Amino acid sequence: MSKKTLPLSDCEFRSLLEKAETPFYLYDGDAIKENVRALYDAFSWANGFINFFAVKALPNMHMLRFLSSLGLGADTSSLVELRLARESGIDAEKIVFTSNDTADEEFKEALKMGVLVNIDDICHIDRIKELALPWPERICFRYNPGSKRTGNAIIGNPVEAKYGVRDDQIVSCYKRAKEEGSSFFALHTMVASNELDESYIVETARMLFSLVKRIKEEAGVDISLLDLGGGVGIPYRLEDDPISFYSLASKIKALYDDMIIGEGLNPVRISFEMGRAITGPFGYLISKVRHVSHKYKDYVGLDACMANLMRPALYGAYHHITVLGKEADEKDHVYDVTGSLCENNDKFAIDRRLPKIERGDVVVIHDAGAHGHSMGFNYNGKLRCSEYLKENGNIYKIRRAETYDDYVSTITDEMEIV
C-alpha cells in the first residue's frame, strides 16, 4: 500500500494560493532529495553509480540544476534536451544522448558537446561516418533483445519496438566501434516503463550482465558502463506497493557478484536513467473547482485540463485526488473530474468517489512530478501553467505561466512567400 501525503500544511497551501494563480505545479524538493539519497545509498556498493535523470520527465532548467546538485546526470533524447542539460551546468561526461530516428544535427551537436552517444541502430554507424564527424572515444549502444525478452505492458513486445539494435547485430556494433577507435564502451537497454514488479528490473540486469560477457568473448570489448535503463514505476494507486531501492539494489548486487566479478569482468559501472521514480511521486497539480454540474452524471469542472496533465486522457492513467481541507471527509459522492477542453476525454477521473465538492474548492492531483507539465500542449489555445519548487522552507517560482503573447510569438508579422 502507498500513502498519499501533501507537501504543505493547509495554512501553507492557503498562503501559496494567495500568490499563485491556479492551475500550477508544485514539486517537493525536500522529498526528492531524500528519495535521491536513498537511491544512491542503496547502490553505494556500485563504484561510480549514477542516475542519468530522464530530462523528458521534467524539462525545467531549475529542476535540472537542482537534481544535478544531488549528483544526478541527464538522459536526453533531443537537441533541445541536450541544450537544456548543458545550459543547466551538467558536465558532458554526466550526459547521455539516447539516439532515436536521429537527425544529423543531433548527432553533430551531441558529438561536439562530448556527451555519451547512445546509438539506436547499426545504420547510425555509417551515418556518423557519412557526416565526416569525429568518431567518439566514448560510445554506447541501445540493445533490443527481440524474442529473448518480453516487454512490459507499456513498452510492449521488443520485436515490435522501434528502439534498439537487434540481438544478432549487437556484437558487430561493438566490433565496428572498436575498429573506428572508440576506447570506452557502454551498453544500455529499456524494455519496461512504470514497472512495479521488482523482478522485471532484476531480470533486465541479468540479461545485460550476460550480454557483457558475450560482447567480451565475441568482440574483445570490455563494457565499462552498464545503463539498466529507467522503467522503475511509482505507486499511482493506493493499493500499489512501491519498489524498494534497497531491495532492488541488493538483488542486482548478488547478480553482479556472480556474473560480473565472478567472471572476471569487473569493474563495470552501473547506472540507471530513472525519471519518473525520482520526481514523479513528489509533484502535484493544483487546481480550483469552477463548476459542479449535474447532467446524466455529476461533474466537477476544474480550471486545469488535459493540456496541463494528459496522462489520464492518453493512457487512462490513475492519479489520486485530494480535496484540500476535506481530507477527513467521507467520500460519499461519485464524480467525473474534468477540464474545459472541447474533448469528451478531457477527464482526470471517472466515477471517482470523493467528498462533496463545491465551487471554489482546491483540488490536488498527486504523482504529477514526471511526464506532467512536460507533456502539456496548447490545444484550444490553452496556455501552459506555472511551476514551483519547495526547498528548505522556501517556495520558488521556476516557470511562469504562458501568456497570449507567448502563444502568438512564433506567428510571423506578415505572411511570407517562400
Side-chain angles (χ1 to χ4, degrees):
M1 295 286 291
S2 62
K3 186 178 180 181
K4 303 300 179 186
T5 59
L6 295 174
L8 301 174
S9 68
D10 187 78
C11 180
E12 289 170 327
F13 256 123
R14 300 297 175 186
S15 176
L16 177 59
L17 286 162
E18 291 177 1
K19 308 165 190 172
E21 183 178 354
T22 57
F24 62 85
Y25 274 87
L26 175 64
Y27 308 111
D28 188 346
D30 299 315
I32 292 170
K33 280 183 186 178
E34 182 60 25
N35 192 43
V36 171
R37 184 205 63 78
L39 173 64
Y40 275 67
D41 186 53
F43 281 90
S44 59
W45 58 266
N47 188 36
F49 174 82
I50 188 171
N51 184 78
F52 300 105
F53 179 75
V55 174
K56 67 176 88 49
L58 214 174
N60 183 304
M61 279 196 287
H62 291 291
M63 286 301 302
L64 295 180
R65 291 187 186 114
F66 170 69
L67 294 170
S68 176
S69 74
L70 304 180
L72 275 67
D75 166 63
T76 64
S77 56
S78 71
L79 193 58
V80 168
E81 288 184 357
L82 267 173
R83 291 175 177 171
L84 280 175
R86 286 300 285 126
E87 290 178 22
S88 298
I90 302 175
D91 293 336
E93 62 267 21
K94 288 188 174 183
I95 299 174
V96 176
F97 173 66
T98 299
S99 160
N100 172 30
D101 191 23
T102 311
D104 291 348
E105 57 266 29
E106 291 176 331
F107 276 135
K108 291 175 182 177
E109 188 76 8
L111 292 171
K112 178 182 177 182
M113 286 184 181
V115 305
L116 179 61
V117 178
N118 186 16
I119 303 294
D120 185 65
D121 191 87
I122 194 169
C123 74
H124 293 177
I125 296 175
D126 290 331
R127 187 58 192 156
I128 292 174
K129 295 290 292 180
E130 289 164 4
L131 292 171
L133 298 173
W135 188 259
E137 177 186 345
R138 301 187 308 142
I139 198 165
C140 183
F141 290 96
R142 182 173 188 169
Y143 173 60
N144 182 328
S147 60
K148 289 189 172 184
R149 191 77 195 279
T150 301
N152 77 344
I154 296 176
I155 290 290
N157 185 351
V159 172
E160 298 179 359
K162 68 173 183 173
Y163 306 112
V165 177
R166 289 189 341 225
D167 180 72
D168 62 327
Q169 297 173 330
I170 191 70
V171 172
S172 297
C173 286
Y174 285 97
K175 287 180 179 178
R176 284 283 308 278
K178 183 179 180 181
E179 291 168 358
E180 296 294 345
S182 294
S183 58
F184 179 97
F185 302 93
L187 171 63
H188 163 270
T189 198
M190 180 75 172
V191 290
S193 178
N194 195 33
E195 181 58 64
L196 286 174
D197 183 352
E198 176 190 84
S199 66
Y200 201 97
I201 311 300
V202 174
E203 288 308 305
T204 296
R206 185 192 304 275
M207 176 184 73
L208 289 183
F209 291 160
S210 178
L211 185 55
V212 167
K213 180 180 179 182
R214 178 180 156 202
I215 291 169
K216 170 68 172 179
E217 291 174 345
E218 298 181 22
V221 165
D222 291 305
I223 298 298
S224 297
L225 175 68
L226 191 58
D227 188 336
L228 300 176
V232 176
I234 64 173
Y236 285 100
R237 296 178 178 273
L238 289 171
E239 62 267 26
D240 290 338
D241 292 319
I243 283 182
S244 162
F245 291 150
Y246 289 96
S247 176
L248 179 65
S250 175
K251 290 174 182 175
I252 291 176
K253 182 181 186 300
L255 288 178
Y256 184 94
D257 290 345
D258 179 40
M259 301 179 70
I260 299 298
I261 296 177
E263 294 290 339
L265 298 169
N266 63 305
V268 178
R269 190 180 178 196
I270 301 296
S271 68
F272 280 93
E273 57 180 40
M274 298 181 199
R276 186 195 318 265
I278 300 299
T279 59
F282 314 111
Y284 306 82
L285 176 59
I286 317 300
S287 182
K288 282 185 181 177
V289 176
R290 283 178 173 165
H291 304 282
V292 179
S293 56
H294 309 284
K295 305 180 190 295
Y296 298 104
K297 301 177 74 173
D298 290 344
Y299 293 93
V300 173
L302 305 182
D303 59 8
C305 65
M306 68 180 283
N308 302 110
L309 177 65
M310 69 186 300
R311 295 188 72 257
L314 185 63
Y315 303 122
Y318 177 93
H319 282 263
H320 191 73
I321 294 174
T322 295
V323 184
L324 198 63
K326 298 183 177 181
E327 295 91 330
D329 291 7
E330 185 177 354
K331 296 178 175 60
D332 54 1
H333 286 64
V334 177
Y335 299 105
D336 280 14
V337 182
T338 73
S340 59
L341 283 191
C342 297
E343 297 292 335
N344 196 45
N345 67 338
D346 179 19
K347 297 181 179 181
F348 296 106
I350 297 173
D351 295 331
R352 183 73 59 87
R353 297 193 68 83
L354 293 166
K356 183 180 179 180
I357 294 178
E358 300 166 291
R359 174 180 168 82
D361 278 345
V362 176
V363 165
V364 179
I365 301 177
H366 293 252
D367 302 308
H371 310 290
H373 192 285
S374 65
M375 294 178 74
F377 56 97
N378 291 119
Y379 181 62
N380 269 178
K382 296 297 183 180
L383 302 176
R384 308 288 294 280
C385 67
S386 56
E387 295 177 290
Y388 293 81
L389 172 65
K390 171 200 168 195
E391 183 188 7
N392 295 330
N394 296 311
I395 296 178
Y396 304 93
K397 181 186 284 188
I398 59 174
R399 187 192 299 270
R400 65 168 174 80
E402 279 185 336
T403 66
Y404 174 78
D405 288 342
D406 294 325
Y407 181 72
V408 300
S409 63
T410 57
I411 300 173
T412 57
D413 292 334
E414 301 290 339
M415 292 191 297
E416 301 173 0
I417 298 175
V418 296

